[in-house]
Amino acid sequence: MIKRLAKRRLFNAVISLIVGALLLIIALPSLQSAVARAQQELKPKNEVVEAAADETPVEDVQPAEQTAFEKVAETDRLELYFRSSDSAIEVKDKSNGYTWKSAVPLEDAATDGNDLWTASSQSIFHLTFTDPNLPALETQETNSMLEQPKMTAKALKDGISVHYELPRLQISFDMSFQLKGNALEVTVPGQSIKEAKNNWLMAIAPLPFFGAAADHEKGYAVYPDGPGALSTFKSNHPSYLNPYRASVYGPDTITFSNYQRQQNALLPIFGLKVNDNAFLGMITKGEYDANILYSPSGYLINLNRVSSELVYRREYEAVKKDGNLTKKPEKELLREDHTIRYVFFSGEEADYSHMASAYRQYLVDEQGVAPLIKKGDPLPFGLDLLMGIKEGQILFDHFIPTTTFEEARQIMEDMTKRGVNAISANLLGWTGRGYLEYPSGYKPSTKLGGVSGLKQLSAYAKANNYQLFLQDNYIMAWKGTDGFSTRSDVVVGANHFAVTDRYSEMFYLNAGKQNERFQDKMLDPLSKLDITGINFDGIGYMDYYDYNKDYPLNREGTAAKWLEMMGKSKDQFGGAAAIGGNGYTIPASSRLFSIPMEDSGYFFTDETIPFYQMVVHGLIPYSGDAQNLFYDPRLQFLKMVEYGFMPYYQFTMNHSEDLKDTYYSDLFSSSYHNWVDQAVEQYKEMSGKLQPVWSQTMKEHRKLEKDVYEVVYEDDTRVIVNYSPREVKIDDLIIPDKDFIVVRKEG
């Protein structure tokens, strides 16, 4: 959505690429030297033993003589076993006798691997640390196998706790393993961590090889890339340079570029299916400071593994005395508790559909998410209306009214006459400053009809039982726009400088101060409107630390302030919405916008799966990308059907040519009269066929064959989508090319 400097940035990006290529050629020998040095540093160092040698071959680093596993806990479904010599654990699923292991059997770990990673595959944790006294940040990785920690075990109810002391690093912490029904919970208490002056803890990855699968096994890994992604195990695969690594709820650092941006990890989950067994990992505490890791076989070792990484420090850009920038570790340790819960499945339940059901049940049972869609509710038409936007000119910006409040009412009225019986509308650029001008204020534009016009529109929507959201952004701010201070109201980085783009034109706003301003100045002027609520742009796709001295906030604190704003919107208007879908917005949202349909496109990803949609369908209405802004409208339509989206368009009453010189020229085809016939036709088709399942949860999703997918809802209604250009036959059912059918539970 950030369009103001796109052309200038594109030019600078091209120049930077050319300069970067020249520098790379010049620096190639140094780069090769750095790689060689990194490889040397990766060799394990046996400094735990007081030996004179600084380096010891990996094969000489062996754990103490292994003791037998002892059962330390049991539930109706699981048994937990613990090995005191190296604290390895095993979880036995009593339903079929399958055992999940934290340490990979050596005969599997050594296959086409290397000694370093064979040792790593036996570890109960990986650990990243740094020396804060170095002039620039240099992180190093180690693991429990290499460090040979001193361990003290203590029995707990339903499990065991282990205290680890790493003598070489002078770092220590606790980690507990406890059974809870059909789940294993792994907890690292934040207060248990101690560290040395010369070795600072950066991150801990518990159970990095838990359940790791070899190439010959059948199954896949699940990771939260966009809606969800799946990578199958393969006997033939390349060597990968990078794994999937994503910070939960988006990048740790604020970026001002949307080019090649990785999709968010919207949910703190990961999963693994191995033959007829599977687990779902979900971070239930400390997810704001955690990463999700998936390493396919071929990345460093031929094992497929998925896990989480708990973050205790981040890096930031510091200014050196000579004025140059360098990376440094944050000074303060994040002392928060982290808990990862592993839920186990077997037999026919061992698939990503049951993983999604388990996470949905967690949201309902433990996070208070209640279904907002009632049985029999009509399928709504998602209607975005761009009201007004400014066109930059030399002296004064020109406000372009693309849809007035009266015209918005006319559009809704016309759609109603055409047979659309439910509308969920959202207004963009409804204030006097127009769309994408932030802070946008709270006064409805007089050129659109002013307060009275918006009041009449909202009254019409309420009378027809239509939703009406007012979209606004309380995160971004442009220099020169009234309503904020670039000194006191903006996000500050760990280097104590305001976070801004290279031109110091765009800023991000402190969530605490925005929450206060929203409650003091925004809510009361809008109180007489019959709207459904505020649609909060930004809070669902980014989260950040803020070192603002007046209102410092960590990522969880920032999200908490935004959620408080959503709560105030619900208190006053009855609802609130969020754009982006980060998991923390789910309990507070009456509707979710811009839920992704695609993953980031990693080489090892085999399928995009609607994991997120399977979690929220039947609970909260959601929409994705506008149908009229997609390169292939038919493909988009079928994707909406498969993923359970509401039909969704973005319109203007006037022609989109008026937007060509604005910051929203991407809205290249928006005229209502050009699209209304298609929109109404698609709505009627979706409503007629899919309305009975609109309030239901998705029970299963599967690929039937190439380009053919099936969704099964809770009453066993089947929706089969055929993306291929040919007619297909499934179970004596004919699915036309590029079409879908609905098979009711009666057959």
Side-chain angles (χ1 to χ4, degrees), residues 15 43 63 74 96 125 147 161 189 263 277 285 301 333 379 474 492 501 520 576 623 630 636 651 657 668 676 697 731:
I15 297 300
K43 293 180 179 179
E74 182 175 7
N96 62 359
F125 63 81
E147 294 298 330
S161 176
Q263 291 279 4
N277 296 274
K285 287 184 181 179
I301 189 172
L333 184 77
L379 180 69
Y474 300 99
V492 176
D501 64 341
D520 293 342
S623 56
F630 203 67
Q636 177 83 341
F651 290 146
E657 288 84 351
F668 52 82
V676 61
T697 59
D731 297 336

Side-chain angles (χ1 to χ4, degrees), residues 352-370:
Y352 63 81
S353 296
H354 286 82
M355 296 180 194
S357 296
Y359 194 73
R360 178 177 61 246
Q361 201 62 45
Y362 161 74
L363 292 178
V364 172
D365 292 344
E366 300 183 42
Q367 298 299 309
V369 177

Side-chain angles (χ1 to χ4, degrees), residues 38-52:
Q39 292 173 337
Q40 182 71 14
E41 290 176 351
L42 277 174
K43 293 180 179 179
K45 298 182 180 181
N46 190 12
E47 296 181 22
V48 177
V49 181
E50 295 181 359

Side-chain angles (χ1 to χ4, degrees), residues 478-711:
W478 293 102
K479 183 179 180 180
T481 304
D482 295 336
F484 80 105
S485 167
T486 57
R487 292 186 177 182
S488 59
D489 293 340
V490 299
V491 173
V492 176
N495 57 11
H496 305 299
F497 289 100
V499 176
T500 184
D501 64 341
R502 67 175 64 185
Y503 307 106
S504 297
E505 290 195 9
M506 184 177 178
F507 297 84
Y508 284 83
L509 299 171
N510 176 268
K513 294 191 175 184
Q514 281 299 99
N515 178 34
E516 293 176 352
R517 183 173 289 113
F518 176 74
Q519 296 188 44
D520 293 342
K521 297 185 178 181
M522 302 294 180
L523 287 176
D524 186 62
L526 303 176
S527 61
K528 296 181 180 180
L529 298 175
D530 293 319
I531 62 174
T532 307
I534 304 298
N535 180 18
F536 294 87
D537 187 8
I539 71 173
Y541 56 81
M542 63 188 310
D543 192 11
Y544 42 73
Y545 267 78
D546 188 353
Y547 297 86
N548 185 302
K549 64 179 181 179
D550 297 330
Y551 223 130
L553 294 167
N554 58 17
R555 279 163 62 93
E556 184 173 5
T558 295
K561 293 302 177 183
W562 292 336
L563 294 179
E564 188 174 336
M565 295 167 68
M566 294 186 73
K568 293 298 181 182
S569 174
K570 293 178 74 172
D571 291 343
Q572 179 158 309
F573 305 113
I579 296 177
N582 275 348
Y584 51 79
T585 64
I586 293 176
S589 293
S590 307
R591 182 182 161 190
L592 295 164
F593 286 77
S594 297
I595 304 305
M597 296 183 173
E598 300 293 340
D599 55 67
S600 301
Y602 287 93
F603 287 120
F604 43 74
T605 296
D606 296 295
E607 293 284 344
T608 308
I609 58 174
F611 192 98
Y612 188 98
Q613 288 82 357
M614 295 183 75
V615 169
V616 300
H617 195 278
L619 298 178
I620 305 170
Y622 56 90
S623 56
D625 299 325
Q627 171 78 352
N628 54 312
L629 302 183
F630 203 67
Y631 70 93
D632 187 335
R634 188 60 187 175
L635 174 63
Q636 177 83 341
F637 173 70
L638 293 178
K639 184 69 76 170
M640 287 193 299
V641 171
E642 181 194 352
Y643 280 29
F645 288 99
M646 68 172 70
Y648 173 56
Y649 281 77
Q650 194 168 103
F651 290 146
T652 58
M653 180 62 87
N654 297 329
H655 291 288
S656 55
E657 288 84 351
D658 295 342
L659 305 174
K660 64 181 180 179
D661 294 322
T662 71
Y663 303 134
Y664 199 45
S665 56
D666 286 354
L667 191 59
F668 52 82
S669 183
S670 63
S671 175
Y672 171 72
H673 295 292
N674 291 342
W675 286 99
V676 61
D677 291 337
Q678 175 185 300
V680 171
E681 180 183 353
Q682 289 186 348
Y683 170 78
K684 288 182 177 179
E685 181 180 6
M686 291 182 69
S687 178
K689 295 180 179 180
L690 300 175
Q691 186 276 330
V693 300
W694 175 243
S695 62
Q696 298 183 34
T697 59
M698 290 182 180
K699 188 166 66 174
E700 295 178 81
H701 176 273
R702 63 174 70 94
K703 182 178 182 179
L704 299 179
E705 60 180 63
K706 180 177 172 58
D707 296 327
V708 182
Y709 296 85
E710 178 185 65
V711 181

Side-chain angles (χ1 to χ4, degrees), residues 26-228:
I26 296 172
L28 187 57
S30 298
L31 181 61
Q32 293 171 333
S33 175
V35 171
R37 185 172 66 254
Q39 292 173 337
Q40 182 71 14
E41 290 176 351
L42 277 174
K43 293 180 179 179
K45 298 182 180 181
N46 190 12
E47 296 181 22
V48 177
V49 181
E50 295 181 359
D54 291 331
E55 297 182 4
T56 303
V58 172
E59 56 267 23
D60 289 346
V61 181
Q62 298 292 338
E65 183 177 348
Q66 291 184 350
T67 57
F69 279 96
E70 296 182 4
K71 185 164 67 173
V72 294
E74 182 175 7
T75 64
D76 292 341
R77 174 72 179 268
L78 305 172
E79 292 177 347
L80 175 62
Y81 292 85
F82 176 76
R83 188 166 64 194
S84 60
S85 56
D86 60 356
S87 76
I89 65 165
E90 293 183 350
V91 178
K92 182 179 179 180
D93 189 336
K94 294 160 62 176
S95 67
N96 62 359
Y98 186 80
T99 299
W100 295 92
K101 304 175 186 292
S102 67
V104 178
L106 287 173
E107 62 270 20
D108 294 330
T111 302
D112 295 329
N114 58 58
D115 291 336
L116 176 63
W117 281 91
T118 298
S120 178
S121 68
Q122 307 303 299
S123 299
I124 197 72
F125 63 81
H126 286 177
L127 184 144
T128 306
F129 66 98
T130 189
D131 182 350
N133 301 310
L134 296 175
L137 176 67
E138 292 184 19
T139 59
Q140 299 181 58
E141 294 186 12
T142 187
N143 57 61
S144 60
M145 177 68 180
L146 298 181
E147 294 298 330
Q148 297 289 287
K150 297 178 181 178
M151 296 175 291
T152 305
K154 180 177 67 174
L156 298 175
K157 181 182 179 181
D158 297 326
I160 194 165
S161 176
V162 184
H163 178 71
Y164 298 96
E165 291 186 21
L166 284 59
R168 179 176 75 94
L169 303 180
Q170 295 182 303
I171 292 175
S172 63
F173 59 91
D174 294 346
M175 189 183 299
S176 65
F177 309 92
Q178 293 177 279
L179 297 183
K180 184 177 181 180
N182 69 331
L184 166 72
E185 287 198 338
V186 181
T187 299
V188 179
Q191 295 302 319
S192 72
I193 299 171
K194 293 182 173 56
E195 58 185 2
K197 293 182 179 180
N198 296 329
N199 288 312
W200 283 4
L201 177 64
M202 298 294 289
I204 297 173
L207 305 184
F209 280 82
F210 186 70
D215 292 343
H216 65 270
E217 295 179 285
K218 294 182 179 180
Y220 50 75
V222 173
Y223 38 101
D225 186 20

Side-chain angles (χ1 to χ4, degrees), residues 16 136 222 269 315 324 350 389 396 435 463 471 495 507 579 596 675 692:
S16 299
V222 173
I269 60 92
E315 63 182 42
N324 292 321
I389 191 170
F396 301 101
Y435 187 46
Q471 181 173 319
N495 57 11
F507 297 84
I579 296 177
W675 286 99

